[in-house]
Amino acid sequence: MATKLKVLRAEHDLTQRDLAEILGTNQKVISTWESGKSVPRPAMMQRIEDYFHVPKEEIFFTAFNYSN
């Protein structure tokens, strides 16, 4: 999850702070997701999916124990 979220953010030319503002959270939270220290709650996963137009299962496959 950490790598995919970071890649999507970079592809959209967003900083962690930019994405945090879009999602209504803070930069530290984005950093913990990208480092794999935590995962977003389901409602936040949905907001991320809606923003990037990428299925949450693809973004968060490690959180769901999917293999890619």
Side-chain angles (χ1 to χ4, degrees):
M1 177 229 140
T3 303
K4 182 65 175 179
L5 183 58
K6 188 173 184 175
V7 168
L8 286 170
R9 183 175 57 76
E11 287 174 351
H12 287 79
D13 198 30
L14 297 170
T15 65
Q16 288 181 344
R17 187 175 307 252
D18 294 335
L19 183 57
E21 288 179 18
I22 290 164
L23 298 175
T25 189
N26 63 58
Q27 179 271 327
K28 185 174 181 176
V29 171
I30 303 296
S31 177
T32 63
W33 296 341
E34 289 186 355
S35 68
K37 292 179 182 174
S38 70
V39 295
R41 293 179 183 227
M44 186 60 79
M45 286 184 186
Q46 186 63 52
R47 291 180 75 179
I48 295 166
E49 175 182 9
D50 293 345
Y51 180 78
F52 288 115
H53 305 288
V54 175
K56 61 183 161 284
E57 293 83 4
E58 183 178 329
I59 301 170
F60 305 110
F61 70 90
T62 57
F64 293 116
N65 294 320
Y66 293 163
S67 59
N68 195 14

